[in-house]
């Protein structure tokens, strides 16, 4: 049509039609009305009555103006309550109408600005909940988080299993493991606001936590930054990779054929292997970023929290709503405790005495206990009835078989006798070093419907140390050694 209109300026209608390869009828029609056929069609009207005609402007729009963030489905349900005669099939129509109204009259929305990252500039840390994966250790569900570190430019990742919540100790341990695995430190480190770590803290405690975080970053010459609370997309370079990592772990668990691990170390090795595969896929980019990283300091800085506790007459101390037993010789002493995410290191002065597994208080506020029967068994033998109502009795038994034996004994024997036999079983496990073997023997005895016989078990697991024979060694007279030395000397002279 455009060619015909141009030719018509210099030629007649018939000549222009011939040169444009159109018929004379079409040429005269275009001359009369140059609009295209599609432009002449009238817009198709509604084929059925508008179900929202009487309610959208009168009721829906006022709701949208009064509550801009309200969901379309909430308005849909409200309209059905107000007007029972409406069909449930109006939902899609209402949603499209609301979407169109908001596009014209709605509020301005937040814009996300994609950033250009430079190598060696930014590293990010965050925690992600792993409870949805259903991982267990020796049959017990593992409630845990995953600390996740990532370089924004190359995509290098490092993950660390966290048994507690989002704490400074967990951040310090995970971050330092990541940096030393990487072999360098970025210029900036960004974390979330650590809301869980700041919860229920006083102003002084919050300031101390902020100071320790800044000192940690200063040790590695990184400038500390935090994203605004509740604005997850400011950590987008790691938030999005959480989902990819958890999906990879979920797939690996499915291919493994089970979600139960023998111990925590096996599960941590499983996670490290998955992350290592990801880093291998980005190996060239990671190697290209390493020269831009800052050198690491000569040593790591502290990734623990230090607390001073007093050992009470109960044979232990309470820390963070958890009671820990220690050897009774420490009653009355002040101990220095280094609090890590998964363990406690106990010191007297500068001497490290022991390492204890870290416990966690219950979510409902109840206290927990971390008990080692070896710490209290010598006193418990003097007072076996204390076992009956002992507040940490269930945590005292080192294995399930010992708890099962106590339950059977208390059911079939008088309380005093049941407590005495149970305490003697624990003492036997301690004195003879046969905790596992004794537990297996107890399982066989209980499965057979019998009660454990302490005398038979003592005989089975070696002689009583008190009945071992006394061996007297008579030392030789030193004069005999002098005679031997003299003889040897005389021989040399000869």
């Amino acid at each position: 049509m455009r060619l015909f209109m141009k030719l018509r300026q210099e030629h007649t209608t018939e000549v222009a039609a011939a040169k444009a390869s159109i018929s004379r009828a079409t040429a005269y029609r275009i001359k009369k009305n140059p609009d295209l056929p599609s432009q002449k069609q009238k817009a198709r009207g509604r084929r059925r009555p508008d179900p929202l005609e009487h309610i959208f402007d009168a009721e829906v729009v006022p709701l949208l103006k009064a509550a801009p963030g309200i969901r379309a489905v909430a308005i849909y349900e409200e309209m059905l309550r107000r007007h029972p005669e409406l069909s449930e099939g109006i939902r899609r129509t209402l949603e499209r109408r609301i979407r169109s109204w908001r596009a014209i009259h709605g509020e301005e929305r937040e814009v996300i600005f994609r950033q250009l990252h430079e190598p060696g500039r930014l590293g990010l840390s965050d925690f992600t909940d792993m409870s949805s994966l259903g991982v267990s250790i020796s049959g017990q569900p593992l409630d845990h988080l995953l600390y996740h570190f990532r370089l924004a430019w190359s995509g290098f990742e490092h993950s660390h299993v966290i048994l507690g919540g989002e704490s400074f100790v967990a951040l310090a341990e995970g971050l330092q493991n990541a940096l030393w695995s990487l072999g360098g430190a970025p210029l900036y480190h960004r974390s979330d606001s650590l809301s869980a770590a700041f919860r229920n803290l006083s102003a002084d405690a919050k300031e101390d936590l902020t100071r320790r975080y800044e000192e940690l970053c200063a040790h590695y010459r990184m400038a500390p930054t935090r994203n605004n609370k509740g604005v997850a997309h400011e950590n987008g370079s790691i938030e999005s990779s959480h989902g990819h990592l958890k999906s990879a772990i979920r797939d690996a668990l499915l291919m493994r054929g089970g979600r139960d691990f023998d111990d925590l170390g096996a599960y941590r090795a499983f996670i490290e292997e998955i992350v290592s595969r990801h880093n291998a896929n980005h190996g060239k980019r990671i190697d290209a970023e390493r020269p831009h990283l800052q050198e690491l300091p000569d040593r790591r800085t502290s990734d623990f929290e230090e607390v001073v506790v007093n050992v009470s007459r109960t044979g232990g101390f309470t820390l963070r709503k958890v009671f820990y037993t220690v050897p009774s010789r420490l009653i009355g002493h002040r101990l220095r405790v280094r609090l890590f995410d998964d363990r406690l290191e106990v010191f007297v002065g500068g001497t490290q005495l022991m390492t204890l597994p870290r416990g966690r208080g219950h979510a409902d506020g109840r206290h927990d206990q971390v008990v080692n029967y070896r710490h209290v068994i010598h006193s418990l033998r003097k007072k076996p009835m204390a076992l009956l109502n002992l507040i940490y009795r269930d945590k005292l038994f080192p294995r399930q078989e010992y708890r099962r034996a106590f339950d059977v004994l208390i059911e079939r024997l008088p309380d005093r006798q049941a407590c005495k036999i149970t305490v003697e079983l624990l003492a036997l496990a301690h004195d003879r070093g046969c905790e596992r073997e004794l537990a297996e023997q107890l399982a066989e005895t209980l499965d057979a419907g019998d009660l454990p016989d302490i005398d038979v078990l003592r005989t089975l697991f070696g002689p009583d140390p008190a009945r071992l024979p006394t061996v007297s060694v008579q030392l030789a007279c030193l004069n005999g050694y002098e005679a031997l030395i003299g003889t040897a000397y005389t021989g040399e002279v000869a």
Side-chain angles (χ1 to χ4, degrees), residues 61-287:
V61 170
L63 284 175
L64 292 172
K65 290 181 178 179
I70 191 170
R71 294 183 304 157
V73 66
I75 297 179
Y76 163 74
E77 293 172 352
E78 178 63 19
M79 292 301 104
L80 290 183
R81 282 192 293 269
R82 293 184 185 182
H83 305 280
E85 71 278 6
L86 290 175
S87 170
E88 294 183 356
I90 68 168
R91 175 171 177 174
R92 295 294 300 274
T93 302
L94 179 62
E95 289 176 344
R96 285 194 297 268
R97 194 78 60 83
I98 290 175
R99 182 179 176 85
S100 299
W101 184 91
R102 281 175 168 164
I104 301 172
H105 306 287
E107 293 184 338
E108 297 293 338
R109 301 181 63 181
E110 185 177 5
V111 177
I112 296 177
F113 300 98
R114 297 184 63 185
Q115 301 293 298
L116 179 64
H117 296 295
E118 300 176 5
R121 182 175 179 82
L122 180 62
L124 306 100
S125 293
D126 200 6
F127 296 87
T128 183
D129 186 13
M130 302 291 286
S131 57
S132 62
L133 297 183
V135 175
S136 60
I137 303 296
S138 299
Q140 298 298 318
L142 181 65
D143 184 15
H144 67 293
L145 303 176
L146 197 68
Y147 167 81
H148 192 188
F149 174 86
R150 187 172 187 270
L151 286 180
W153 189 81
S154 65
F156 169 86
E157 289 185 306
H158 181 84
S159 294
H160 182 67
V161 176
I162 302 297
L163 301 182
E166 297 183 23
S167 64
F168 170 77
V169 170
L171 174 66
E173 182 177 2
L175 176 58
Q176 293 192 85
N177 288 345
L179 296 180
W180 285 89
S181 174
L182 176 61
L187 295 174
Y188 294 90
H189 175 256
R190 171 170 291 177
S191 70
D192 62 11
S193 59
L194 288 178
S195 56
F198 279 92
R199 188 179 299 124
N200 298 327
L201 294 181
S202 63
D204 292 341
K206 291 181 180 179
E207 182 179 353
D208 178 64
L209 192 59
T210 300
R211 178 183 55 79
R212 283 190 289 158
Y213 171 62
E214 292 175 349
E215 290 177 351
L216 170 65
C217 290
H219 182 74
Y220 291 94
R221 293 179 296 166
M222 296 185 300
T225 63
R226 285 182 183 155
N227 61 302
N228 294 314
K229 185 176 180 180
V231 187
H233 67 75
E234 290 188 359
N235 247 10
S237 294
I238 192 169
E239 289 282 354
S240 59
S241 64
H242 282 337
H244 300 306
L245 178 59
K246 292 172 75 171
S247 296
I249 294 174
R250 185 180 294 106
D251 293 340
L253 288 171
L254 291 173
M255 288 187 288
R256 182 176 181 268
R259 300 172 186 263
D260 187 67
F261 294 82
D262 294 335
D263 51 42
L264 183 61
Y267 176 55
R268 281 180 164 158
F270 173 78
I271 296 294
E272 289 175 2
E273 182 179 356
I274 295 173
V275 176
S276 297
R277 293 176 191 166
H278 170 85
N279 290 334
N281 293 334
H282 294 77
K284 292 183 179 180
R285 197 167 175 87
I286 294 172
D287 291 339

Side-chain angles (χ1 to χ4, degrees), residues 362 367-373 391-398 403:
H362 297 281
H367 287 219
D368 198 8
Q369 302 88 23
V370 175
V371 179
N372 189 332
Y373 73 99
I391 192 171
Y392 53 75
R393 185 185 67 200
D394 291 339
K395 296 297 180 69
L396 182 70
F397 300 116
R403 180 184 290 105

